Amino acid sequence: MGKESSNRIQTSLLNAMEKKALIWMAERQPLWMTSDTLTYIGLLGAVICGLGFALAHIDKNYLWISSLGLVINWYGDSLDGTLARVRHTQRPVYGFFIDHTLDAVTICIMCIGAGISPMFRLDVAMLVLAGYLVLSIYTYISTIIKDEFRLTYGSFGPTEFRLVVILINTVFMYTPLSSTIYTIAGQTLGIFDIVGLLIALFLFGAWLSQFLIDRRILSERDPLKPYNPGKKED
């Protein structure tokens, strides 16, 4: 079954540096801090992020709240498992259950917030959400079938995803690109909608690429058995 002790696949650009930083932080957490607490702090960060997106309708500078929420989300979501491993207090089944159940809620909150912000059309944000969830579901299936927990695809993982959103927030606040509008195939799209579509394309592309690779590997491991309708089993 899926569990945090599965082989972790991490190939992102920031993985080596991030891993060292997380271990350093975990070793300095107060004794009252637990992995569960950090998981819920990550969820709180997502709520703050979504609130910042919503408030951007009042003033786009509220997107700083959204970016702060993403940092808080990174702190809680990335550090909870590291803290357990540093303290040797892992709960492989429970940890997998609580962490990744709340991950689904977290991404929903953030994408819905982005969809009701002035940056993205709601349908574009929902397409990004669909791509992220498809990739997440595929990750969990692979964990069960292959005992491999793939945290990153290529050089891109959750931390890089958060940094991209923070960059988008900053560009929206401090450049005139927010007023750039295009009409494509009868659809009115802002420059940030196009960026959102590219993110969704990457997510679905990463899923398709890994699916084709794993399909070939698993087909060889579990080959098609010949069917003889005239043969009766003993």
Side-chain angles (χ1 to χ4, degrees):
M1 70 186 303
K3 50 190 180 296
E4 291 287 4
S5 57
S6 299
N7 183 33
R8 301 165 71 84
I9 309 298
Q10 294 175 286
T11 58
S12 66
L13 288 170
L14 300 174
N15 176 56
M17 180 173 60
E18 181 183 24
K19 187 175 181 179
K20 291 178 182 179
L22 289 173
I23 292 174
W24 185 90
M25 293 169 63
E27 291 172 343
R28 288 160 178 79
Q29 294 300 300
L31 292 178
W32 55 263
M33 184 65 76
T34 67
S35 294
D36 270 12
T37 303
L38 286 167
T39 299
Y40 289 115
I41 287 174
L43 179 61
L44 175 63
V47 173
I48 293 171
C49 175
L51 179 63
F53 279 133
L55 290 174
H57 278 291
I58 301 173
D59 186 329
K60 64 181 181 179
N61 288 312
Y62 278 116
L63 287 174
W64 277 116
I65 295 177
S66 174
S67 296
L68 173 63
L70 286 165
V71 174
I72 295 172
N73 174 256
W74 170 83
Y75 168 75
D77 185 52
S78 299
L79 192 58
D80 54 3
T82 303
L83 182 69
R85 286 186 287 275
V86 166
R87 292 181 176 178
H88 304 290
T89 56
Q90 298 99 316
R91 301 168 72 183
V93 175
Y94 173 81
F96 189 92
F97 163 74
I98 195 71
D99 190 15
H100 303 299
T101 298
L102 292 182
D103 277 349
V105 177
T106 293
I107 191 63
C108 286
I109 292 172
M110 292 193 291
C111 284
I112 292 172
I116 63 176
S117 78
M119 281 199 305
F120 299 104
R121 288 175 27 164
L122 181 60
D123 54 353
V124 171
M126 292 302 96
L127 188 62
V128 172
L129 174 61
Y132 198 99
L133 291 178
V134 164
L135 207 53
S136 296
I137 292 168
Y138 188 82
T139 296
Y140 306 145
I141 291 173
S142 295
T143 306
I144 296 169
I145 294 176
K146 300 173 61 183
D147 201 28
E148 290 182 355
F149 184 45
R150 181 172 290 277
L151 290 162
T152 58
Y153 287 83
S155 300
F156 199 82
T159 298
E160 287 76 14
F161 182 82
R162 295 184 186 97
L163 288 174
V164 167
V165 177
I166 290 173
L167 177 62
I168 291 172
N169 285 347
T170 305
V171 171
F172 187 88
M173 286 187 286
Y174 295 110
T175 73
L177 290 175
S178 58
S179 59
T180 303
I181 303 295
Y182 298 96
T183 300
I184 303 174
Q187 295 292 317
T188 301
L189 298 168
I191 188 68
F192 294 94
D193 292 319
I194 295 173
V195 171
L197 290 173
L198 291 175
I199 292 173
L201 181 63
F202 170 82
L203 293 171
F204 282 106
W207 163 78
L208 179 60
S209 175
Q210 194 62 44
F211 169 77
L212 293 175
I213 293 172
D214 288 339
R215 180 185 179 277
R216 176 180 54 81
I217 294 172
L218 293 174
S219 178
E220 293 174 356
R221 184 185 303 175
D222 187 18
L224 180 67
K225 297 175 178 61
Y227 172 60
N228 188 345
K231 182 179 178 181
K232 296 182 178 180
E233 294 186 359
D234 295 333

Coordinates of all heavy atoms in Angstrom, one line a residue, residues 84-138:
A84 N 9.8 14.3 10.9 CA 9.6 12.9 11.4 C 10.9 12.1 11.1 O 11.2 11.3 12.0 CB 8.4 12.3 10.7
R85 N 11.5 12.3 10.0 CA 12.7 11.5 9.7 C 13.9 11.9 10.5 O 14.6 11.0 11.0 CB 13.0 11.6 8.2 CG 12.1 10.9 7.2 CD 12.5 10.9 5.8 NE 12.3 12.2 5.2 CZ 11.2 12.6 4.7 NH1 10.1 11.8 4.7 NH2 11.1 13.8 4.1
V86 N 14.0 13.1 10.8 CA 15.2 13.6 11.6 C 15.0 13.1 13.1 O 16.0 12.7 13.7 CB 15.3 15.1 11.6 CG1 16.2 15.7 12.7 CG2 15.8 15.6 10.3
R87 N 13.8 13.1 13.6 CA 13.5 12.6 14.9 C 13.2 11.1 15.0 O 13.0 10.6 16.1 CB 12.3 13.4 15.5 CG 12.6 14.9 15.7 CD 11.3 15.6 16.3 NE 11.6 17.0 16.6 CZ 10.7 17.9 17.1 NH1 9.5 17.5 17.3 NH2 11.1 19.1 17.3
H88 N 13.2 10.4 13.9 CA 12.9 9.0 13.8 C 11.5 8.7 14.4 O 11.4 7.8 15.2 CB 14.0 8.2 14.6 CG 15.4 8.5 14.1 ND1 15.8 8.0 12.8 CD2 16.4 9.2 14.6 CE1 17.1 8.4 12.6 NE2 17.5 9.1 13.7
T89 N 10.6 9.5 14.1 CA 9.2 9.3 14.6 C 8.2 9.1 13.4 O 7.1 9.5 13.5 CB 8.8 10.6 15.4 OG1 8.9 11.8 14.6 CG2 9.6 10.7 16.6
Q90 N 8.7 8.5 12.3 CA 7.9 8.3 11.1 C 6.6 7.5 11.5 O 6.7 6.5 12.3 CB 8.7 7.6 10.0 CG 9.9 8.4 9.5 CD 11.2 7.9 10.1 OE1 11.2 7.7 11.3 NE2 12.2 7.8 9.3
R91 N 5.6 7.8 10.8 CA 4.3 7.0 10.8 C 3.9 6.8 9.4 O 3.1 7.5 8.8 CB 3.2 7.8 11.6 CG 3.6 8.1 13.0 CD 2.6 9.1 13.7 NE 1.3 8.4 13.9 CZ 0.3 9.1 14.4 NH1 0.4 10.4 14.7 NH2 -0.9 8.5 14.6
P92 N 4.6 5.8 8.7 CA 4.5 5.7 7.3 C 3.1 5.7 6.7 O 2.8 6.3 5.7 CB 5.2 4.4 7.0 CG 6.2 4.2 8.1 CD 5.4 4.8 9.3
V93 N 2.2 4.9 7.3 CA 0.8 4.8 6.7 C 0.0 6.0 7.1 O -0.6 6.7 6.2 CB 0.1 3.5 7.2 CG1 -1.3 3.5 6.8 CG2 0.9 2.3 6.7
Y94 N 0.0 6.4 8.4 CA -0.7 7.6 8.8 C -0.2 8.8 8.2 O -1.0 9.7 7.7 CB -0.7 7.7 10.3 CG -1.3 9.0 10.8 CD1 -2.7 9.1 11.0 CD2 -0.5 10.1 11.1 CE1 -3.2 10.3 11.5 CE2 -1.1 11.3 11.6 CZ -2.5 11.4 11.8 OH -3.0 12.5 12.2
G95 N 1.1 9.0 8.1 CA 1.7 10.1 7.5 C 1.3 10.3 6.0 O 1.0 11.4 5.6
F96 N 1.3 9.2 5.3 CA 0.9 9.2 3.9 C -0.5 9.6 3.8 O -0.9 10.5 2.9 CB 1.1 7.8 3.3 CG 0.9 7.8 1.8 CD1 2.0 8.0 0.9 CD2 -0.3 7.6 1.2 CE1 1.9 7.9 -0.5 CE2 -0.5 7.5 -0.2 CZ 0.6 7.7 -1.0
F97 N -1.4 9.1 4.6 CA -2.8 9.4 4.6 C -3.1 10.9 4.9 O -3.7 11.6 4.1 CB -3.5 8.5 5.6 CG -4.9 9.0 6.0 CD1 -5.9 8.8 5.1 CD2 -5.1 9.6 7.2 CE1 -7.2 9.3 5.4 CE2 -6.4 10.1 7.5 CZ -7.5 9.9 6.6
I98 N -2.6 11.4 6.0 CA -3.0 12.7 6.4 C -2.3 13.8 5.5 O -2.9 14.8 5.1 CB -2.6 13.0 7.9 CG1 -3.3 14.2 8.4 CG2 -1.1 13.1 8.1 CD1 -4.8 14.1 8.6
D99 N -1.0 13.6 5.2 CA -0.3 14.6 4.4 C -0.9 14.7 3.0 O -1.2 15.9 2.5 CB 1.2 14.1 4.3 CG 2.0 15.2 3.7 OD1 1.6 16.4 3.6 OD2 3.2 14.9 3.3
H100 N -1.2 13.6 2.3 CA -1.6 13.7 0.9 C -3.1 13.9 0.7 O -3.6 14.4 -0.3 CB -1.1 12.5 0.1 CG 0.4 12.5 0.2 ND1 1.3 13.5 -0.2 CD2 1.2 11.5 0.8 CE1 2.5 13.1 0.0 NE2 2.5 12.0 0.6
T101 N -3.9 13.6 1.8 CA -5.3 13.9 1.8 C -5.4 15.4 1.8 O -6.2 16.1 1.1 CB -6.0 13.3 2.9 OG1 -6.0 11.9 2.8 CG2 -7.5 13.7 2.9
L102 N -4.6 16.1 2.7 CA -4.7 17.5 2.9 C -4.0 18.2 1.7 O -4.4 19.4 1.4 CB -4.1 17.9 4.2 CG -4.9 17.5 5.4 CD1 -4.2 18.0 6.7 CD2 -6.3 18.0 5.4
D103 N -3.1 17.6 1.0 CA -2.5 18.1 -0.2 C -3.5 18.4 -1.2 O -3.5 19.5 -1.9 CB -1.4 17.2 -0.8 CG -0.1 17.3 -0.1 OD1 0.1 18.3 0.7 OD2 0.8 16.5 -0.3
A104 N -4.5 17.5 -1.4 CA -5.5 17.7 -2.4 C -6.4 18.9 -2.0 O -6.8 19.7 -2.9 CB -6.4 16.4 -2.5
V105 N -6.7 19.0 -0.7 CA -7.5 20.2 -0.3 C -6.7 21.5 -0.5 O -7.2 22.5 -0.9 CB -7.9 20.0 1.2 CG1 -8.6 21.3 1.7 CG2 -8.7 18.8 1.4
T106 N -5.4 21.4 -0.2 CA -4.6 22.6 -0.3 C -4.5 23.1 -1.7 O -4.7 24.3 -2.0 CB -3.1 22.2 0.1 OG1 -3.1 21.9 1.5 CG2 -2.2 23.4 -0.2
I107 N -4.3 22.3 -2.7 CA -4.2 22.7 -4.1 C -5.6 23.2 -4.6 O -5.6 24.2 -5.4 CB -3.6 21.6 -5.0 CG1 -3.3 22.2 -6.4 CG2 -4.6 20.5 -5.1 CD1 -2.2 23.3 -6.4
C108 N -6.6 22.6 -4.1 CA -8.0 23.1 -4.5 C -8.2 24.6 -4.0 O -8.7 25.4 -4.7 CB -9.1 22.2 -3.9 SG -9.2 20.6 -4.7
I109 N -7.8 24.8 -2.7 CA -8.0 26.2 -2.2 C -7.2 27.2 -3.0 O -7.7 28.3 -3.3 CB -7.5 26.2 -0.7 CG1 -8.5 25.4 0.2 CG2 -7.4 27.6 -0.2 CD1 -8.0 25.1 1.6
M110 N -5.9 26.8 -3.3 CA -5.1 27.8 -4.0 C -5.5 28.0 -5.4 O -5.5 29.2 -5.9 CB -3.6 27.3 -3.9 CG -3.0 27.3 -2.5 SD -1.2 27.1 -2.5 CE -1.0 25.4 -3.0
C111 N -5.9 27.0 -6.1 CA -6.4 27.2 -7.5 C -7.7 27.9 -7.6 O -7.9 28.7 -8.5 CB -6.4 25.8 -8.2 SG -4.8 25.2 -8.7
I112 N -8.6 27.6 -6.7 CA -9.9 28.3 -6.7 C -9.6 29.8 -6.4 O -10.2 30.7 -7.0 CB -10.9 27.7 -5.6 CG1 -11.3 26.3 -6.1 CG2 -12.1 28.6 -5.4 CD1 -12.1 25.6 -5.1
G113 N -8.7 30.1 -5.4 CA -8.4 31.4 -5.1 C -7.8 32.1 -6.3 O -8.2 33.3 -6.6
A114 N -6.9 31.5 -7.0 CA -6.3 32.0 -8.2 C -7.4 32.3 -9.3 O -7.3 33.3 -10.0 CB -5.2 31.1 -8.8
G115 N -8.4 31.4 -9.4 CA -9.4 31.6 -10.4 C -10.4 32.7 -10.1 O -11.0 33.2 -11.1
I116 N -10.5 33.1 -8.9 CA -11.4 34.3 -8.6 C -10.6 35.5 -8.4 O -11.1 36.6 -8.1 CB -12.2 34.0 -7.3 CG1 -11.3 33.8 -6.1 CG2 -13.1 32.8 -7.5 CD1 -12.1 33.6 -4.8
S117 N -9.3 35.5 -8.6 CA -8.4 36.6 -8.6 C -8.5 37.4 -9.9 O -9.0 36.8 -10.9 CB -7.0 36.2 -8.3 OG -6.3 35.7 -9.4
P118 N -8.0 38.6 -10.0 CA -8.0 39.3 -11.3 C -6.9 38.8 -12.2 O -6.8 39.2 -13.4 CB -7.7 40.7 -10.9 CG -7.0 40.7 -9.6 CD -7.5 39.5 -8.9
M119 N -6.0 37.8 -11.8 CA -4.9 37.4 -12.6 C -5.4 36.3 -13.7 O -4.9 36.3 -14.8 CB -3.8 36.7 -11.8 CG -2.9 37.8 -11.1 SD -1.4 37.0 -10.6 CE -1.9 35.7 -9.6
F120 N -6.2 35.4 -13.2 CA -6.6 34.2 -14.1 C -8.1 34.1 -14.3 O -8.9 34.4 -13.4 CB -6.1 32.9 -13.5 CG -4.6 32.9 -13.2 CD1 -4.1 33.0 -12.0 CD2 -3.7 32.6 -14.3 CE1 -2.7 32.9 -11.8 CE2 -2.4 32.5 -14.1 CZ -1.8 32.7 -12.8
R121 N -8.5 33.6 -15.4 CA -9.8 33.2 -15.6 C -10.1 32.0 -14.8 O -9.1 31.1 -14.6 CB -10.1 32.9 -17.1 CG -10.2 34.1 -18.0 CD -10.3 33.8 -19.5 NE -10.9 32.6 -19.8 CZ -11.4 32.3 -21.1 NH1 -11.3 33.3 -22.0 NH2 -11.9 31.1 -21.4
L122 N -11.3 31.8 -14.3 CA -11.6 30.6 -13.5 C -11.4 29.3 -14.2 O -10.8 28.4 -13.7 CB -13.0 30.7 -12.9 CG -13.4 29.6 -12.0 CD1 -12.6 29.5 -10.8 CD2 -14.9 29.8 -11.6
D123 N -11.7 29.3 -15.5 CA -11.6 28.0 -16.2 C -10.1 27.7 -16.4 O -9.8 26.5 -16.4 CB -12.3 28.1 -17.6 CG -11.9 29.3 -18.4 OD1 -11.2 30.2 -18.0 OD2 -12.4 29.4 -19.6
V124 N -9.3 28.7 -16.6 CA -7.8 28.4 -16.7 C -7.3 27.8 -15.4 O -6.5 26.9 -15.4 CB -7.1 29.7 -17.1 CG1 -5.6 29.5 -17.0 CG2 -7.5 30.1 -18.5
A125 N -7.7 28.5 -14.3 CA -7.2 28.0 -13.0 C -7.7 26.5 -12.7 O -7.0 25.7 -12.2 CB -7.7 28.9 -11.9
M126 N -8.9 26.2 -13.1 CA -9.5 24.9 -13.0 C -8.7 23.9 -13.8 O -8.6 22.7 -13.4 CB -11.0 24.9 -13.3 CG -11.8 25.6 -12.3 SD -11.7 25.1 -10.5 CE -10.4 26.2 -9.9
L127 N -8.3 24.3 -15.0 CA -7.5 23.4 -15.8 C -6.1 23.1 -15.2 O -5.7 21.9 -15.2 CB -7.3 24.0 -17.2 CG -6.6 23.1 -18.3 CD1 -7.5 21.9 -18.6 CD2 -6.4 23.9 -19.6
V128 N -5.5 24.1 -14.6 CA -4.3 23.8 -13.8 C -4.6 22.9 -12.7 O -3.8 22.0 -12.4 CB -3.7 25.2 -13.3 CG1 -2.5 24.9 -12.3 CG2 -3.3 26.1 -14.4
L129 N -5.7 23.1 -11.9 CA -6.1 22.2 -10.8 C -6.2 20.8 -11.3 O -5.7 19.8 -10.7 CB -7.3 22.7 -10.2 CG -7.9 21.8 -9.1 CD1 -7.0 21.6 -8.0 CD2 -9.3 22.4 -8.6
A130 N -6.9 20.6 -12.5 CA -7.1 19.3 -13.0 C -5.8 18.6 -13.4 O -5.6 17.4 -13.0 CB -8.0 19.4 -14.3
G131 N -4.9 19.3 -14.0 CA -3.6 18.8 -14.3 C -2.8 18.4 -13.1 O -2.2 17.3 -13.0
Y132 N -2.9 19.2 -12.0 CA -2.1 18.9 -10.8 C -2.7 17.7 -10.1 O -2.0 16.8 -9.7 CB -2.2 20.1 -9.8 CG -1.2 20.1 -8.7 CD1 0.0 20.9 -8.8 CD2 -1.4 19.3 -7.6 CE1 0.9 20.9 -7.8 CE2 -0.4 19.3 -6.6 CZ 0.7 20.1 -6.7 OH 1.7 20.1 -5.7
L133 N -4.0 17.6 -10.1 CA -4.7 16.4 -9.5 C -4.4 15.1 -10.3 O -4.2 14.1 -9.7 CB -6.2 16.7 -9.3 CG -6.5 17.7 -8.2 CD1 -8.0 17.9 -8.2 CD2 -6.0 17.4 -6.9
V134 N -4.5 15.2 -11.6 CA -4.2 14.0 -12.4 C -2.8 13.5 -12.1 O -2.5 12.3 -12.0 CB -4.3 14.4 -13.9 CG1 -3.6 13.3 -14.8 CG2 -5.8 14.5 -14.3
L135 N -1.8 14.5 -12.0 CA -0.4 14.1 -11.7 C -0.3 13.5 -10.3 O 0.5 12.6 -10.1 CB 0.5 15.3 -11.9 CG 2.0 15.1 -12.3 CD1 2.1 14.2 -13.6 CD2 2.7 16.4 -12.5
S136 N -1.0 14.1 -9.4 CA -1.0 13.6 -8.0 C -1.6 12.2 -7.9 O -1.0 11.3 -7.3 CB -1.8 14.5 -7.1 OG -1.2 15.8 -7.0
I137 N -2.7 12.0 -8.6 CA -3.3 10.6 -8.6 C -2.3 9.6 -9.2 O -2.2 8.5 -8.7 CB -4.6 10.6 -9.3 CG1 -5.7 11.5 -8.6 CG2 -5.1 9.2 -9.6 CD1 -6.9 11.8 -9.3
Y138 N -1.7 10.0 -10.3 CA -0.7 9.1 -10.9 C 0.4 8.8 -10.0 O 0.9 7.7 -9.9 CB -0.2 9.8 -12.2 CG 0.7 8.8 -13.0 CD1 0.1 7.9 -13.9 CD2 2.1 8.8 -12.9 CE1 0.9 7.0 -14.6 CE2 2.8 8.0 -13.6 CZ 2.3 7.1 -14.4 OH 3.0 6.2 -15.1

